[in-house]
Amino acid sequence: MMEVFGVIGYPVGHSLSPVMHNAAFRETGYNGIYVPFGVRPENFESAVEGLVALGIKGVNVTIPYKEKITEFFRQEREVVEIGAANTVDLRKGICYNTDVDGILRALRNSNVDARDTNVLVVGAGGAAKACVYALRESNRVSITNRTEERGREVAKKFGIEFVRSENLSAMKFDLVVNATPLGMKGFPEKLPVPVEVLKSKPIVFDMIYNPPETPLIKKAASYGCRTVSGVDMLVHQGAKAFEIFTGRKAPVDVMKKAVISELKKLI
Ligand SMILES: NC(=O)c1ccc[n+]([C@@H]2O[C@H](COP(=O)([O-])OP(=O)(O)OC[C@H]3O[C@@H](n4cnc5c(N)ncnc54)[C@H](OP(=O)(O)O)[C@@H]3O)[C@@H](O)[C@H]2O)c1
């Protein structure tokens, strides 16, 4: 029987997950279909109950429900630490945060050895916390954020250093990660870090995938920095979710091709 999966969020019209997962189902011959579930906040609880009642097998979770969803299911360790989930196995009743794997696999795939390096994470939201969680054990991680109080809270929680943005220019990092929407389509084109940070040629990882070549990625490349794209993170977090959903190895290249061709339509 065909198994139904989906993404729950509001709005979800922009989500690339249906295209990515349906391409993976086709490629692997898995008898599944993946659909968007746009759910208004006032209907969220009944929608989650409905997903279970209807026998939906698994969902991804996007804005604004990544925190709220954790109240409904057992939480994998990374969800407990980060406080947000993006994938639920509805059969097992467990929620996961596959952004952690998305980050680690995207870096590995770009031949970035993120061990024993000085890392700067820009931002203090869910994506930034997933990044700090993923990298803090094997690296020296610092965080900076527009709202200092929020940045300091995350720094304290994970036992890392908070750096004020005005101090960044004088500092050197091996890896800089943008986990803010600065540079995303529809947001200001401002760089998330002062250009001085790029002069020491850190590897620059921008989590934004639309556009795939952000102003930060372009500027970093012009300074001779190696770059890692948010498209890779998107595909690898999706690949991990696919593996949770199906128990099969994800066809990463096919998923990436589907995402890139969809993104081209949006530009
Ligand atoms: N590639 C992927 O698979 C993937 C996965 C997840 C997320 N992302 C991307 O990662 C980014 C962050 O996502 P999130 O879920 O962590 O969002 P979030 O929880 O809303 O956090 C956003 C962060 O960005 C900062 N920020 C927002 N607007 C800013 C501005 N104009 N100037 C400076 N800082 C600003 C916020 O700072 P304040 O604390 O001051 O508000 C906050 O730290 C988004 O662009 C998202 O698309 C990508």
Side-chain angles (χ1 to χ4, degrees):
M1 206 169 71
M2 181 172 274
E3 297 182 347
V4 182
F5 299 86
V7 53
I8 182 166
Y10 189 74
V12 280
H14 65 282
S15 174
L16 297 168
S17 293
V19 157
M20 179 166 65
H21 283 275
N22 284 321
F25 289 145
R26 270 195 305 277
E27 176 68 15
T28 56
Y30 195 88
N31 193 12
I33 185 164
Y34 189 107
V35 290
F37 297 114
V39 174
R40 288 180 178 278
E42 62 271 26
N43 296 327
F44 183 67
E45 199 168 330
S46 48
V48 173
E49 285 165 8
L51 291 173
V52 176
L54 287 166
I56 309 294
K57 305 297 180 200
V59 283
N60 288 119
V61 185
T62 187
I63 290 167
Y65 302 129
K66 286 184 173 188
E67 285 93 18
K68 187 93 184 133
I69 195 76
T70 64
E71 296 167 18
F72 295 82
F73 300 99
R74 276 187 289 133
Q75 303 174 14
E76 271 294 288
R77 184 171 151 239
E78 75 276 0
V79 175
V80 176
E81 294 266 339
I82 295 162
N86 71 343
T87 301
V88 186
D89 183 333
L90 291 160
R91 291 165 289 208
K92 292 186 180 158
I94 302 178
C95 60
Y96 304 81
N97 191 313
T98 69
D99 282 342
V100 174
D101 267 88
I103 290 160
L104 291 171
R105 293 185 192 190
L107 290 172
R108 219 178 298 135
N109 208 43
S110 305
N111 293 319
V112 176
D113 186 6
R115 276 178 308 181
D116 211 21
T117 58
N118 278 318
V119 183
L120 174 69
V121 176
V122 189
K129 281 191 266 185
C131 188
V132 172
Y133 176 82
L135 299 180
R136 73 178 166 157
E137 269 176 22
S138 342
N139 301 279
R140 292 170 299 282
V141 181
S142 306
I143 192 169
T144 187
N145 190 47
R146 175 179 65 178
T147 308
E148 183 168 338
E149 197 188 342
R150 202 167 165 217
R152 285 198 183 278
E153 258 173 49
V154 175
K156 194 171 164 208
K157 178 180 165 70
F158 290 102
I160 61 168
E161 191 193 356
F162 176 82
V163 184
R164 300 176 73 162
S165 49
E166 55 267 37
N167 296 335
L168 289 173
S169 301
M171 297 177 74
K172 282 188 181 174
F173 301 95
D174 304 308
L175 172 64
V176 172
V177 184
N178 176 36
T180 79
L182 282 176
M184 186 156 82
K185 198 175 175 198
F187 282 80
E189 292 219 345
K190 210 178 135 209
L191 294 183
V193 287
V195 281
E196 286 76 15
V197 171
L198 304 177
K199 286 185 179 155
S200 59
K201 292 194 177 37
I203 296 166
V204 173
F205 172 21
D206 198 337
M207 289 193 180
I208 292 169
Y209 51 82
N210 186 15
E213 278 234 309
T214 62
L216 174 65
I217 291 279
K218 283 187 192 157
K219 184 63 88 180
S222 79
Y223 275 82
C225 306
R226 284 170 63 198
T227 60
V228 182
S229 153
V231 172
D232 284 316
M233 174 179 169
L234 177 73
V235 170
H236 285 291
Q237 65 76 30
K240 175 73 179 177
F242 181 86
E243 288 159 15
I244 290 167
F245 291 154
T246 66
R248 295 193 190 177
K249 192 171 174 334
V252 175
D253 292 344
V254 167
M255 292 167 83
K256 185 168 177 177
K257 219 169 137 192
V259 164
I260 288 173
S261 101
E262 195 66 13
L263 277 170
K264 280 189 183 144
K265 293 184 202 161
L266 301 176
I267 291 166

mmCIF file of all heavy atoms in Angstrom, residues 66 99 123-127 145-147 150 179-182 184 207-209 230 233-234 237, ligand 1:
data_model
loop_
_atom_site.group_PDB
_atom_site.id
_atom_site.type_symbol
_atom_site.label_atom_id
_atom_site.label_comp_id
_atom_site.label_asym_id
_atom_site.label_seq_id
_atom_site.Cartn_x
_atom_site.Cartn_y
_atom_site.Cartn_z
ATOM 1 N N LYS A 66 8.679 24.067 14.644
ATOM 2 C CA LYS A 66 9.812 23.197 14.989
ATOM 3 C C LYS A 66 9.970 22.997 16.502
ATOM 4 O O LYS A 66 10.464 21.967 16.936
ATOM 5 C CB LYS A 66 11.110 23.753 14.395
ATOM 6 C CG LYS A 66 11.228 23.549 12.903
ATOM 7 C CD LYS A 66 12.583 24.028 12.408
ATOM 8 C CE LYS A 66 12.813 23.679 10.965
ATOM 9 N NZ LYS A 66 14.182 23.978 10.524
ATOM 10 N N ASP A 99 18.719 18.481 10.977
ATOM 11 C CA ASP A 99 19.626 19.574 10.594
ATOM 12 C C ASP A 99 21.046 19.277 11.082
ATOM 13 O O ASP A 99 22.023 19.681 10.443
ATOM 14 C CB ASP A 99 19.157 20.915 11.188
ATOM 15 C CG ASP A 99 17.999 21.510 10.400
ATOM 16 O OD1 ASP A 99 17.781 21.097 9.237
ATOM 17 O OD2 ASP A 99 17.297 22.396 10.945
ATOM 18 N N GLY A 123 24.088 33.908 14.458
ATOM 19 C CA GLY A 123 22.667 33.635 14.675
ATOM 20 C C GLY A 123 22.484 32.839 15.956
ATOM 21 O O GLY A 123 23.447 32.247 16.474
ATOM 22 N N ALA A 124 21.244 32.871 16.467
ATOM 23 C CA ALA A 124 20.979 32.164 17.733
ATOM 24 C C ALA A 124 19.630 31.465 17.695
ATOM 25 O O ALA A 124 19.071 31.141 18.735
ATOM 26 C CB ALA A 124 21.042 33.151 18.891
ATOM 27 N N GLY A 125 19.124 31.213 16.487
ATOM 28 C CA GLY A 125 17.845 30.512 16.350
ATOM 29 C C GLY A 125 18.066 29.004 16.279
ATOM 30 O O GLY A 125 19.133 28.502 16.640
ATOM 31 N N GLY A 126 17.040 28.298 15.791
ATOM 32 C CA GLY A 126 17.095 26.840 15.742
ATOM 33 C C GLY A 126 18.249 26.314 14.900
ATOM 34 O O GLY A 126 18.921 25.352 15.309
ATOM 35 N N ALA A 127 18.487 26.927 13.749
ATOM 36 C CA ALA A 127 19.549 26.441 12.861
ATOM 37 C C ALA A 127 20.921 26.662 13.503
ATOM 38 O O ALA A 127 21.805 25.807 13.413
ATOM 39 C CB ALA A 127 19.468 27.165 11.515
ATOM 40 N N ASN A 145 25.351 37.246 17.635
ATOM 41 C CA ASN A 145 23.944 37.399 17.264
ATOM 42 C C ASN A 145 23.525 38.859 17.375
ATOM 43 O O ASN A 145 24.050 39.606 18.201
ATOM 44 C CB ASN A 145 23.064 36.543 18.189
ATOM 45 C CG ASN A 145 21.632 36.466 17.691
ATOM 46 O OD1 ASN A 145 21.397 36.213 16.506
ATOM 47 N ND2 ASN A 145 20.672 36.699 18.567
ATOM 48 N N ARG A 146 22.584 39.254 16.510
ATOM 49 C CA ARG A 146 22.068 40.628 16.528
ATOM 50 C C ARG A 146 21.564 40.988 17.922
ATOM 51 O O ARG A 146 21.941 42.017 18.479
ATOM 52 C CB ARG A 146 20.933 40.740 15.501
ATOM 53 C CG ARG A 146 20.228 42.060 15.499
ATOM 54 C CD ARG A 146 19.152 42.092 14.452
ATOM 55 N NE ARG A 146 18.075 41.135 14.721
ATOM 56 C CZ ARG A 146 16.994 41.007 13.957
ATOM 57 N NH1 ARG A 146 16.849 41.762 12.884
ATOM 58 N NH2 ARG A 146 16.054 40.124 14.263
ATOM 59 N N THR A 147 20.727 40.131 18.505
ATOM 60 C CA THR A 147 20.233 40.382 19.860
ATOM 61 C C THR A 147 21.175 39.706 20.852
ATOM 62 O O THR A 147 21.215 38.463 20.949
ATOM 63 C CB THR A 147 18.797 39.815 20.024
ATOM 64 O OG1 THR A 147 17.995 40.333 18.956
ATOM 65 C CG2 THR A 147 18.193 40.203 21.362
ATOM 66 N N ARG A 150 19.944 37.041 23.505
ATOM 67 C CA ARG A 150 19.602 35.725 22.961
ATOM 68 C C ARG A 150 20.875 34.936 22.626
ATOM 69 O O ARG A 150 20.973 33.739 22.877
ATOM 70 C CB ARG A 150 18.754 35.939 21.701
ATOM 71 C CG ARG A 150 17.912 34.755 21.353
ATOM 72 C CD ARG A 150 16.871 35.120 20.309
ATOM 73 N NE ARG A 150 16.311 33.920 19.732
ATOM 74 C CZ ARG A 150 15.969 33.787 18.462
ATOM 75 N NH1 ARG A 150 16.132 34.796 17.627
ATOM 76 N NH2 ARG A 150 15.448 32.668 18.025
ATOM 77 N N ALA A 179 23.829 31.472 10.067
ATOM 78 C CA ALA A 179 22.534 30.868 10.414
ATOM 79 C C ALA A 179 21.515 31.970 10.672
ATOM 80 O O ALA A 179 20.673 31.871 11.563
ATOM 81 C CB ALA A 179 22.691 29.954 11.627
ATOM 82 N N THR A 180 21.613 33.052 9.871
ATOM 83 C CA THR A 180 20.596 34.114 9.879
ATOM 84 C C THR A 180 19.992 34.175 8.474
ATOM 85 O O THR A 180 20.573 33.636 7.530
ATOM 86 C CB THR A 180 21.183 35.504 10.203
ATOM 87 O OG1 THR A 180 21.808 36.024 9.016
ATOM 88 C CG2 THR A 180 22.190 35.460 11.330
ATOM 89 N N PRO A 181 18.854 34.871 8.322
ATOM 90 C CA PRO A 181 18.297 34.978 6.964
ATOM 91 C C PRO A 181 18.912 36.117 6.137
ATOM 92 O O PRO A 181 18.425 36.385 5.036
ATOM 93 C CB PRO A 181 16.806 35.220 7.218
ATOM 94 C CG PRO A 181 16.705 35.735 8.596
ATOM 95 C CD PRO A 181 17.947 35.406 9.342
ATOM 96 N N LEU A 182 19.974 36.755 6.631
ATOM 97 C CA LEU A 182 20.580 37.858 5.870
ATOM 98 C C LEU A 182 21.152 37.327 4.554
ATOM 99 O O LEU A 182 22.004 36.439 4.562
ATOM 100 C CB LEU A 182 21.695 38.535 6.675
ATOM 101 C CG LEU A 182 21.246 39.508 7.760
ATOM 102 C CD1 LEU A 182 22.445 40.041 8.539
ATOM 103 C CD2 LEU A 182 20.445 40.667 7.168
ATOM 104 N N MET A 184 19.069 36.086 2.211
ATOM 105 C CA MET A 184 18.031 35.229 1.631
ATOM 106 C C MET A 184 17.117 36.081 0.751
ATOM 107 O O MET A 184 16.948 37.281 1.005
ATOM 108 C CB MET A 184 17.213 34.590 2.764
ATOM 109 C CG MET A 184 16.210 33.572 2.307
ATOM 110 S SD MET A 184 15.830 32.425 3.629
ATOM 111 C CE MET A 184 14.631 33.326 4.563
ATOM 112 N N MET A 207 23.962 28.845 5.379
ATOM 113 C CA MET A 207 22.839 27.901 5.430
ATOM 114 C C MET A 207 21.720 28.262 4.460
ATOM 115 O O MET A 207 20.843 27.445 4.185
ATOM 116 C CB MET A 207 22.272 27.857 6.849
ATOM 117 C CG MET A 207 23.184 27.183 7.831
ATOM 118 S SD MET A 207 22.250 26.871 9.323
ATOM 119 C CE MET A 207 23.502 26.097 10.325
ATOM 120 N N ILE A 208 21.743 29.492 3.959
ATOM 121 C CA ILE A 208 20.678 29.910 3.032
ATOM 122 C C ILE A 208 20.808 29.156 1.713
ATOM 123 O O ILE A 208 21.913 28.987 1.202
ATOM 124 C CB ILE A 208 20.778 31.436 2.796
ATOM 125 C CG1 ILE A 208 20.414 32.160 4.090
ATOM 126 C CG2 ILE A 208 19.909 31.886 1.636
ATOM 127 C CD1 ILE A 208 20.722 33.626 4.073
ATOM 128 N N TYR A 209 19.673 28.687 1.182
ATOM 129 C CA TYR A 209 19.716 27.961 -0.094
ATOM 130 C C TYR A 209 18.995 28.694 -1.223
ATOM 131 O O TYR A 209 19.066 28.287 -2.372
ATOM 132 C CB TYR A 209 19.137 26.546 0.065
ATOM 133 C CG TYR A 209 17.780 26.497 0.712
ATOM 134 C CD1 TYR A 209 16.623 26.727 -0.032
ATOM 135 C CD2 TYR A 209 17.656 26.247 2.063
ATOM 136 C CE1 TYR A 209 15.376 26.697 0.564
ATOM 137 C CE2 TYR A 209 16.415 26.214 2.682
ATOM 138 C CZ TYR A 209 15.281 26.438 1.922
ATOM 139 O OH TYR A 209 14.041 26.415 2.525
ATOM 140 N N GLY A 230 24.083 26.234 1.410
ATOM 141 C CA GLY A 230 22.898 25.794 2.143
ATOM 142 C C GLY A 230 22.112 24.734 1.384
ATOM 143 O O GLY A 230 21.351 23.977 1.980
ATOM 144 N N MET A 233 23.190 21.482 2.724
ATOM 145 C CA MET A 233 22.584 21.192 4.039
ATOM 146 C C MET A 233 21.128 20.749 3.864
ATOM 147 O O MET A 233 20.682 19.778 4.471
ATOM 148 C CB MET A 233 22.654 22.424 4.934
ATOM 149 C CG MET A 233 21.936 22.240 6.243
ATOM 150 S SD MET A 233 22.066 23.701 7.272
ATOM 151 C CE MET A 233 20.864 23.318 8.542
ATOM 152 N N LEU A 234 20.413 21.477 3.000
ATOM 153 C CA LEU A 234 19.001 21.137 2.766
ATOM 154 C C LEU A 234 18.864 19.696 2.272
ATOM 155 O O LEU A 234 18.031 18.925 2.754
ATOM 156 C CB LEU A 234 18.416 22.118 1.728
ATOM 157 C CG LEU A 234 16.982 21.842 1.319
ATOM 158 C CD1 LEU A 234 16.034 22.218 2.436
ATOM 159 C CD2 LEU A 234 16.619 22.614 0.050
ATOM 160 N N GLN A 237 19.946 17.169 5.130
ATOM 161 C CA GLN A 237 18.966 16.988 6.207
ATOM 162 C C GLN A 237 17.771 16.201 5.679
ATOM 163 O O GLN A 237 17.182 15.380 6.383
ATOM 164 C CB GLN A 237 18.562 18.309 6.887
ATOM 165 C CG GLN A 237 17.817 19.358 6.045
ATOM 166 C CD GLN A 237 16.350 19.034 5.794
ATOM 167 O OE1 GLN A 237 15.712 18.388 6.626
ATOM 168 N NE2 GLN A 237 15.828 19.464 4.661
HETATM 169 N N1 LIG B 1 19.814 24.825 4.418
HETATM 170 C C1 LIG B 1 18.977 24.307 5.301
HETATM 171 O O1 LIG B 1 18.629 23.126 5.253
HETATM 172 C C2 LIG B 1 18.460 25.160 6.419
HETATM 173 C C3 LIG B 1 17.843 24.559 7.535
HETATM 174 C C4 LIG B 1 17.384 25.388 8.574
HETATM 175 C C5 LIG B 1 17.528 26.760 8.453
HETATM 176 N N2 LIG B 1 18.121 27.297 7.361
HETATM 177 C C6 LIG B 1 18.289 28.755 7.243
HETATM 178 O O2 LIG B 1 18.931 29.248 8.400
HETATM 179 C C7 LIG B 1 18.465 30.550 8.701
HETATM 180 C C8 LIG B 1 18.013 30.630 10.155
HETATM 181 O O3 LIG B 1 16.936 29.748 10.393
HETATM 182 P P1 LIG B 1 16.322 29.544 11.865
HETATM 183 O O4 LIG B 1 15.276 28.507 11.724
HETATM 184 O O5 LIG B 1 17.406 29.382 12.857
HETATM 185 O O6 LIG B 1 15.624 30.963 12.088
HETATM 186 P P2 LIG B 1 15.259 31.674 13.482
HETATM 187 O O7 LIG B 1 15.066 30.664 14.554
HETATM 188 O O8 LIG B 1 14.155 32.621 13.151
HETATM 189 O O9 LIG B 1 16.587 32.532 13.837
HETATM 190 C C9 LIG B 1 16.990 33.577 13.013
HETATM 191 C C10 LIG B 1 18.315 34.170 13.514
HETATM 192 O O10 LIG B 1 18.710 35.157 12.567
HETATM 193 C C11 LIG B 1 18.848 36.422 13.203
HETATM 194 N N3 LIG B 1 18.344 37.478 12.314
HETATM 195 C C12 LIG B 1 17.109 37.560 11.749
HETATM 196 N N4 LIG B 1 17.023 38.675 10.988
HETATM 197 C C13 LIG B 1 18.222 39.305 11.099
HETATM 198 C C14 LIG B 1 18.739 40.518 10.568
HETATM 199 N N5 LIG B 1 17.989 41.311 9.755
HETATM 200 N N6 LIG B 1 20.000 40.874 10.901
HETATM 201 C C15 LIG B 1 20.748 40.099 11.717
HETATM 202 N N7 LIG B 1 20.311 38.932 12.259
HETATM 203 C C16 LIG B 1 19.058 38.548 11.956
HETATM 204 C C17 LIG B 1 18.024 36.330 14.466
HETATM 205 O O11 LIG B 1 18.581 37.248 15.397
HETATM 206 P P3 LIG B 1 17.746 37.848 16.637
HETATM 207 O O12 LIG B 1 17.939 36.866 17.762
HETATM 208 O O13 LIG B 1 18.386 39.153 16.868
HETATM 209 O O14 LIG B 1 16.309 37.949 16.168
HETATM 210 C C18 LIG B 1 18.228 34.867 14.864
HETATM 211 O O15 LIG B 1 19.448 34.681 15.534
HETATM 212 C C19 LIG B 1 17.339 30.843 7.699
HETATM 213 O O16 LIG B 1 17.852 31.624 6.667
HETATM 214 C C20 LIG B 1 16.951 29.480 7.176
HETATM 215 O O17 LIG B 1 16.486 29.530 5.834
HETATM 216 C C21 LIG B 1 18.586 26.529 6.359
#
